[in-house]
Amino acid sequence: MISVPQHSYCLRFALIFQKDGCNSAEMCNFDPMSKIIMITGGQRSGKSSYAELLALRLSDRPVYIATARVCDDEFAERVARHQARRGPQWTNIEEERHLSRHDLTGRVVLVDCVTLWCTNFLFGACKGDELPDIGQVLDDVKTEFDKLVAQNATFIFVTNEIGSGGVSSNALQRRFTDLQGWMNQYVASHADTVILMVSGIPVTIKEDHEKI
């Protein structure tokens, strides 16, 4: 079972409430205020599982925002299976780009994931064979992020480290790698806590007091 590191300020709340016999932060009338937790890592590193565990420790009724585009019936069935697996305590929201239009005040919100969120903005900016303006796409994602986290809530963002391998020969893929890397930096700069998942092990790489 994945454990939550005790040296992280935001996550330490969850353990304190558990120790006091509470099932969640909200059951103890804990006001999550505006907290941002970023969980990053490679493919199958355990990011989503850890994020879900954390959200359930912080709330007995967390919100799950899925940014994946439901493109066909098979994928829709996959989404339904994931929702059923998570259980009825979750509020499930399917939203490709405009996350901030949902009222999330006072909730613990898991956004899975930033990578697909950026992908949706990127393809929305594509016009035929012309490569999109990555600077403008980045500004659009940042603007939506700022609107989202302006709400008084705790946000857990799951993202991917996709730029650790070789350089792609595809021009659009190279631009997306840039977009993802820059957006990851932006989210991390606003986050109270950043956790890197390595082979299922959470490694805290930023504490709340380092927020800039």
Side-chain angles (χ1 to χ4, degrees):
M1 181 176 178
I2 300 172
S3 62
V4 176
Q6 297 187 30
H7 53 280
S8 173
Y9 174 79
C10 294
L11 313 191
R12 197 161 57 230
F13 278 117
L15 295 180
I16 290 172
F17 290 124
Q18 270 194 333
K19 197 175 293 183
D20 289 341
C22 299
N23 293 324
S24 75
E26 288 179 355
M27 289 178 69
C28 291
N29 297 317
F30 169 57
D31 181 2
M33 301 175 61
S34 182
K35 295 286 184 183
I36 301 173
I37 301 166
M38 175 179 170
I39 300 174
T40 187
Q43 186 175 0
R44 292 293 181 263
S45 59
K47 304 181 303 294
S48 294
S49 297
Y50 181 79
E52 289 178 19
L53 174 64
L54 173 58
L56 287 169
R57 286 188 171 180
L58 291 175
S59 173
D60 60 345
R61 54 186 190 95
V63 177
Y64 190 103
I65 299 183
T67 58
R69 176 174 295 182
V70 180
C71 52
D72 54 35
D73 292 341
E74 181 182 358
F75 195 83
E77 291 178 5
R78 181 180 175 185
V79 169
R81 287 197 302 270
H82 282 298
Q83 291 180 352
R85 175 187 59 79
R86 284 193 294 271
Q89 67 268 45
W90 290 85
T91 298
N92 296 295
I93 298 174
E94 304 289 329
E95 184 63 62
E96 294 180 14
R97 286 192 285 178
H98 304 294
L99 279 58
S100 66
R101 70 187 185 91
H102 299 278
D103 184 3
L104 303 166
T105 304
R107 306 294 296 274
V108 172
V109 183
L110 169 54
V111 178
D112 196 356
C113 66
V114 174
T115 303
L116 293 176
W117 194 26
C118 288
T119 300
N120 296 334
F121 273 92
L122 178 69
F123 282 107
C126 287
K127 299 177 181 177
D129 295 332
E130 182 180 347
L131 290 174
D133 182 347
I134 291 301
Q136 182 59 57
V137 176
L138 178 63
D139 286 343
D140 291 343
V141 185
K142 284 181 176 179
T143 297
E144 185 61 25
F145 172 85
D146 290 343
K147 290 179 181 178
L148 176 65
V149 300
Q151 298 187 52
N152 187 29
T154 289
F155 293 96
I156 303 171
F157 289 93
V158 173
T159 190
N160 291 272
E161 294 297 325
I162 66 171
S164 299
V167 178
S168 174
S169 59
N170 182 277
L172 183 59
Q173 179 60 56
R174 291 196 301 272
R175 292 199 176 197
F176 179 73
T177 301
D178 290 342
L179 172 64
Q180 174 76 84
W182 287 326
M183 192 59 200
N184 279 354
Q185 291 183 48
Y186 190 75
V187 175
S189 71
H190 289 74
D192 300 276
T193 302
V194 179
I195 296 168
L196 173 66
M197 296 299 298
V198 182
S199 301
I201 300 172
V203 181
T204 301
I205 58 176
K206 179 184 176 182
E207 299 283 1
D208 67 288
H209 62 267
E210 297 170 346
K211 186 174 179 179
I212 57 175

